[in-house]
Amino acid sequence: MRTLATLRGRGRDETAGVPADNGIDVEIVDPRQAPEPSGWPKFRKLAAVAPMWDYRLLRIESWLSRNPPVLAVMREGGRVLGACVVMLCSPVRGQVFGPRPATHRPGLSPCWAEVYLPWFSGHSAVVFRRQLDGAQRRELLRLFERRLAEYVGLGLLGVVYRAMPADIAEAVAGPGRPVREIDPTTVLDNRFDSVDDWLASLRPQVRTTVREALDLPDSLDVTTAAGREDLDAAELASLLNEHRARQDARAWRSGQRARIAGLHLDTRSPVPTAYLAELLRSPNVVTRTYRDPSGRLVAFHTMFDTAGGVAMPYWAALPRGRGGVPRLYVDGYVHAVRHLIDSGRPELTAGRTLLDLKAGLGFTTRTLLSVAVPRPVMGR
């Protein structure tokens, strides 16, 4: 790929969404109003295989999020090289950025941008084709920042790259760009021949706990399938958001909110029913539900199954005082490990919380970093 250095100093067109002379450009689209970018389905198969990169899901997320995301698509000669999901965040609670016409006056309201997957924070919101090296990625990200500054307008305070893997953070970092290590994501490498092989690798006390937890009540109805259309998404979304609210409340009480989430300001929205309904119907999303004899949902978890690995983005359960089953989450992890081994995927990722518990189950950690880029250094 040609270097992007020749773009500097060529005038306003280099970030205006019109390809420069050498064909390198960054297109920023608002999923609420723009059609799916050309070449996006092909790029998704190569580099953005997780379900949340599906343009239909991005459109739903953008309409229903408090801080709606846009999609930045990096191209050379029309070929997609990389992409970012970018939330546009307002310091005024309740203010939402509406769809912008193609020609708009630069915005004056203060805001900032976050390159972030708020409902899948252990994974990068920046993806590239594999063949791009670090220097090429750096140049594309600098061009993205210049394009974003023009798209948002004068009110843009800067951009924060949240929860980035080390290679992406290295491409973003530079003078005037502070980098902070945040809580890592958890990873289990697939080095096992069977679930028994995995169990044998655990400490004896943990192994005993796991086996005891697998003795589920006979009255519990457990159903697992991919692409499920039999679910009431409102029921699952209610349990999920309630579960997350309890986690947040515990974190605030313990004074660890910023450490656990890696954020001083939580820009996430509750997971909407419409988003969850579309997500659970995806063929590479496996959902496992647990119901009591009355049919009430006691717990559920989801897995994303892709060639790059299995991920567990969502787990939610009723508290014990309201009919929840103790240590039911252990069954969820065992099921995920079984799926990992049976499918032959290289790894299982399971989010950024409960690190000690997951370490006992054999998980290691992968470093994540956040990089803040104030407006004066954007694009430099």
Side-chain angles (χ1 to χ4, degrees):
M1 188 185 80
R2 291 182 291 272
T3 175
L4 305 188
T6 54
L7 287 181
R8 295 197 181 101
R10 297 180 67 92
R12 194 169 182 271
D13 280 350
E14 64 191 51
T15 59
V18 177
D21 291 344
N22 61 2
I24 297 172
D25 186 40
V26 176
E27 175 189 14
I28 297 181
V29 297
D30 185 334
R32 291 170 295 186
Q33 64 175 358
E36 182 174 77
S38 62
W40 186 247
K42 181 178 180 180
F43 177 75
R44 278 206 63 215
K45 293 178 181 178
L46 296 172
V49 296
M52 75 285 303
W53 292 94
D54 186 296
Y55 199 70
R56 295 170 302 168
L57 281 167
L58 284 171
R59 176 171 286 134
I60 295 171
E61 180 181 356
S62 192
W63 274 117
L64 299 177
S65 295
R66 177 162 56 92
N67 295 306
V70 294
L71 178 65
V73 182
M74 309 169 196
R75 302 179 184 276
E76 181 183 34
R79 185 174 65 124
V80 180
L81 300 176
C84 306
V85 170
V86 191
M87 293 195 302
L88 302 180
C89 305
S90 168
V92 181
R93 188 170 182 83
Q95 178 176 328
V96 174
F97 287 83
R100 296 171 179 268
T103 57
H104 64 274
R105 298 184 63 183
L108 298 177
S109 299
C111 68
W112 72 96
E114 295 190 6
V115 181
Y116 187 45
L117 298 177
W119 300 327
F120 198 46
S121 65
H123 290 252
S124 178
V126 180
V127 289
F128 289 106
R129 287 178 180 260
R130 289 184 180 179
Q131 60 266 38
L132 270 64
D133 62 26
Q136 292 168 330
R137 295 179 180 197
R138 181 184 184 279
E139 291 292 329
L140 284 170
L141 288 168
R142 294 303 191 273
L143 180 58
F144 152 69
E145 292 171 8
R146 296 197 294 273
R147 177 71 180 90
L148 182 68
E150 182 182 81
Y151 176 83
V152 176
L154 298 176
L156 182 64
L157 304 175
V159 58
V160 179
Y161 295 82
R162 293 200 185 274
M164 294 290 129
D167 61 329
I168 300 296
E170 182 179 357
V172 173
R177 296 164 173 253
V179 179
R180 181 166 70 93
E181 184 172 340
I182 63 174
D183 278 358
T185 194
T186 49
V187 183
L188 181 68
D189 293 323
N190 188 1
R191 59 185 186 277
F192 312 104
D193 295 324
S194 65
V195 171
D196 286 340
D197 188 23
W198 167 68
L199 284 170
S201 72
L202 307 181
R203 299 194 313 271
Q205 183 178 358
V206 175
R207 189 160 59 242
T208 298
T209 299
V210 170
R211 285 176 172 153
E212 290 175 351
L214 291 179
D215 187 16
L216 298 179
D218 292 338
S219 59
L220 205 60
D221 176 47
V222 183
T223 304
T224 308
R228 291 182 65 174
E229 298 186 1
D230 62 317
L231 299 170
D232 180 350
E235 180 185 37
L236 271 66
S238 176
L239 184 61
L240 177 60
N241 289 317
E242 177 188 315
H243 183 93
R244 289 188 164 191
R246 287 200 310 273
Q247 287 184 319
D248 285 349
R250 284 196 297 268
W252 278 117
R253 286 195 297 269
S254 65
Q256 301 297 311
R257 179 67 182 91
R259 183 180 67 82
I260 289 177
L263 301 170
H264 290 286
L265 178 63
D266 194 346
T267 52
R268 299 173 301 170
S269 303
V271 179
T273 295
Y275 183 90
L276 198 59
E278 185 71 17
L279 177 73
L280 298 180
R281 287 194 290 265
S282 301
N284 58 350
V285 175
V286 178
T287 306
R288 186 173 178 87
T289 52
Y290 305 81
R291 296 185 182 275
D292 66 17
S294 71
R296 181 178 59 159
L297 183 68
V298 174
F300 81 95
H301 79 87
T302 58
M303 293 187 300
F304 296 167
D305 182 5
T306 68
V310 180
M312 286 182 68
Y314 300 140
W315 164 266
L318 289 174
R320 187 170 183 176
R322 291 176 47 204
V325 178
R327 295 183 298 186
L328 190 57
Y329 63 87
V330 175
D331 179 81
Y333 283 113
V334 173
H335 172 252
V337 171
R338 180 177 293 110
H339 187 94
L340 170 74
I341 296 168
D342 291 347
S343 63
R345 301 306 192 193
E347 66 179 26
L348 167 65
T349 58
R352 297 169 49 208
T353 59
L354 304 175
L355 301 184
D356 292 342
L357 182 152
K358 294 169 188 174
L361 296 175
F363 285 79
T364 57
T365 59
R366 178 175 296 153
T367 298
L368 295 175
L369 304 112
S370 290
V371 185
V373 184
R375 178 64 179 259
V377 301
M378 283 182 64
R380 298 181 185 176

